[in-house]
Amino acid sequence: MSVNPKVLEAMDESRLNGFHWKTMFTAGMGFFTDAYDLFIIGTVTAILTPLWHLSTAQLSILNSTSLAAAALGALFFGKLMDKLGRKAMYGFEVIMLAVGAILSACAPSFIWLVIFRFIVGLGVGGDYPTSSVIMTEYSNRKNRGFMVTMVFAMQGLGLLAGPLVASILLSAGIPHDIAWRIMLALGAIPAASVIYLRRKMPESPRYLMAVKQDADAAASAARELTGEAVRASAEAAPRAVIAKQSLWTPKHLLRLLGTAGSWFLIDVAFYGNSVSSQLILKALLPHAQLVTTTLVATAIFMVAALPGYFVAANLMDKWGRKFIQSLGFVVMAAAYAALFLVPSIAKMPILFLLLYAVSYFFIEFGPNTTTFLVPSEAFPTNLRGTAHGISAAAGKIGAFLGAFVLPGILKAAGLSVTMGMLAGVALLGALLTLLAVPEMKQRSLEDTEEIQVSPQATTHHSIVG
């Protein structure tokens, strides 16, 4: 079968329609669940520590299990969606999220909770490449950054829902040994709500054409998405097919260094804000109860961070991914450098809170969002899931280091030195972005493809659509 430029053009130039928005909701609910689970486990471990007499080592295992599993899940789902198809894999990650949440709520002991959290982590990791790639391949050229970023913005709403649910349950006087189980079980609801929608999602026309080499099926799928009739492969240039590429080429390896490296660095550097958050709460509310600190943390997130997601969505296709990611890293570096150079700021709650709010906004506006988007655009169709999975896994490894290695550095070297190190990490992220991350603003995904144009399989780079 030959390439059908009409299909690719129809996908690129279609207007936003109901199918786009349904796909955004279907993909986004997974990230809502991921974020809810990310917050709620912190409250759960705070409750379980006295109930189950958890040691520091047990707490570290409980928190790190999901991160390790998420890295594995991202690699596994990313590779399989390139091999078996987007449709074949989509939906199984939220099934794992829902099942893992219910099992976690029923865990009879620490060991079983760790096992069930591993299942949750696999689902969380799998959701990164599947949802990003699905939304990317269904989006049009003009609004792709907006739509994929809106999927990720559901994370912000999930991070908001988590503490609100925890606060309601704790304030209602529900016994703690029941409340933590309810908190975990509720995570199954948003995941389960989109299982059917994900399993019924049609195969991506771009995957059908580039990997399956089935222009007829691609035309049919494009018609379902765009609502416009698209002629099949007879209209295409004869003997032209999209060639399958290898990840192990200098161009793709450089891009992978950019996408995986910047995701790793943002998740390491993000630890600086986690430290700052605890310092702020300790300074403002030294004797507050868990409910109070939860609500204050929620208010800080809602004011400082949540707007960043939606501002990024609206500017992503105007300012570009590379500029937004670089800007975010630079502002983070400046905020951390200020705490390194002027340590006394940490003892001035108002100034400290202002500095924290600015850095928090630019984290969500910048690299925390762009690192999710760029890997789904920067690679050809047959490598897209694999490359995104590797990039997401690198991010989870960075999160692990940020959460479990840097506390030792903080304790040994102090806040000032730790913040100086994180300023360097953020600057490295900005440099890596400038050198290795491609700008895909307003560009067709087919810019990444190679078109084979002759029976002798001569290959060259070509822009299609």
Side-chain angles (χ1 to χ4, degrees):
M1 279 290 183
S2 54
V3 174
N4 185 353
K6 295 293 184 183
V7 172
L8 305 177
E9 183 180 355
M11 297 288 293
D12 272 343
E13 305 308 325
S14 65
R15 296 181 180 181
L16 286 182
N17 55 43
F19 190 94
H20 287 116
W21 291 108
K22 184 176 79 170
T23 304
M24 190 275 289
F25 170 79
T26 303
M29 286 307 291
F31 283 91
F32 180 93
T33 306
D34 298 346
Y36 172 87
D37 184 73
L38 177 69
F39 174 86
I40 217 69
I41 193 61
T43 305
V44 166
T45 52
I47 293 173
L48 283 180
T49 297
L51 290 177
W52 286 3
H53 309 291
L54 299 178
S55 66
T56 301
Q58 287 177 313
L59 285 174
S60 296
I61 291 171
L62 193 55
N63 287 319
S64 63
T65 294
S66 290
L67 291 173
L72 292 175
L75 293 171
F76 178 78
F77 277 90
K79 180 64 175 179
L80 283 186
M81 71 184 305
D82 281 344
K83 188 175 182 64
L84 303 178
R86 292 25 173 159
K87 179 178 175 61
M89 299 305 299
Y90 206 40
F92 286 110
E93 66 292 295
V94 284
I95 292 174
M96 297 181 77
L97 280 172
V99 171
I102 294 171
L103 290 175
S104 296
C106 300
S109 65
F110 168 75
I111 293 298
W112 281 109
L113 184 56
V114 169
I115 293 171
F116 297 147
R117 289 290 299 169
F118 188 85
I119 296 174
V120 172
L122 288 175
V124 169
D127 201 28
Y128 276 82
T130 54
S131 289
S132 181
V133 169
I134 283 281
M135 190 71 254
T136 295
E137 292 187 351
Y138 273 127
S139 295
N140 61 23
R141 177 180 55 79
K142 182 180 178 181
N143 304 112
R144 188 173 62 240
F146 170 75
M147 295 305 296
V148 179
T149 303
M150 285 297 292
V151 169
F152 193 68
M154 295 292 284
Q155 182 190 79
L157 299 181
L159 286 170
L160 195 61
L164 292 178
V165 167
S167 299
I168 291 170
L169 291 174
L170 293 173
S171 300
I174 297 173
H176 281 193
D177 59 342
I178 297 175
W180 74 265
R181 296 184 185 276
I182 296 175
M183 291 176 192
L184 292 180
L186 288 175
I189 296 176
S193 71
V194 293
I195 291 174
Y196 176 79
L197 291 175
R198 289 194 177 196
R199 292 304 302 146
K200 296 297 289 184
M201 190 74 67
E203 184 57 274
S204 159
R206 289 186 164 101
Y207 182 84
L208 287 169
M209 183 170 291
V211 179
K212 294 298 184 182
Q213 303 291 329
D214 191 341
D216 292 326
S220 177
R223 181 168 58 250
E224 182 176 351
L225 169 64
T226 64
E228 299 177 4
V230 181
R231 293 186 179 182
S233 58
E235 292 295 315
R239 302 178 186 270
V241 296
I242 296 176
K244 293 183 180 180
Q245 300 180 53
S246 170
L247 187 61
W248 312 113
T249 64
K251 182 181 79 170
H252 292 143
L253 287 175
L254 178 62
R255 290 189 173 190
L256 189 62
L257 175 64
T259 59
S262 57
W263 205 332
F264 172 86
L265 292 170
I266 177 57
D267 278 14
V268 170
F270 189 50
Y271 176 75
N273 270 53
S274 300
V275 171
S276 299
S277 176
Q278 296 305 312
L279 291 173
I280 289 169
L281 293 176
K282 186 176 180 180
L284 297 179
L285 306 162
H287 306 295
Q289 295 182 340
L290 180 59
V291 176
T292 304
T293 56
T294 298
L295 288 173
V296 172
T298 305
I300 292 172
F301 173 80
M302 187 164 59
V303 172
L306 185 62
Y309 290 97
F310 298 97
V311 175
N314 283 284
L315 293 177
M316 196 64 68
D317 294 306
K318 298 175 182 175
W319 289 11
R321 296 83 161 114
K322 196 164 186 169
F323 175 76
I324 288 175
Q325 183 164 306
S326 302
L327 177 63
F329 270 126
V330 168
V331 173
M332 288 173 66
Y336 298 155
L339 290 170
F340 169 63
L341 297 171
V342 189
S344 59
I345 293 176
K347 299 177 182 179
M348 307 174 190
I350 300 301
L351 183 58
F352 190 22
L353 184 59
L354 180 62
L355 189 66
Y356 173 79
V358 171
S359 66
Y360 209 176
F361 172 86
F362 276 94
I363 286 172
E364 308 301 356
F365 169 74
N368 194 41
T369 297
T370 53
T371 50
F372 174 74
L373 165 62
V374 174
S376 65
E377 301 179 305
F379 298 90
T381 304
N382 72 295
L383 302 176
R384 195 164 285 139
T386 301
H388 199 289
I390 293 172
S391 300
K396 294 307 175 188
I397 294 171
F400 175 85
L401 290 176
F404 298 105
V405 175
L406 284 172
I409 297 175
L410 177 66
K411 185 175 181 179
L415 177 66
S416 178
V417 172
T418 303
M419 288 300 177
M421 291 177 60
L422 292 174
V425 170
L427 279 177
L428 182 59
L431 180 63
L432 188 61
T433 299
L434 293 173
L435 294 177
V437 173
E439 180 55 74
M440 293 297 293
K441 179 185 71 172
Q442 302 291 332
R443 292 177 63 184
S444 171
L445 293 177
E446 280 60 57
D447 284 12
T448 63
E449 304 288 4
E450 289 184 351
I451 309 301
Q452 191 179 76
V453 295
S454 75
Q456 289 74 32
T458 302
T459 326
H460 68 87
H461 292 274
S462 177
I463 297 175
V464 181

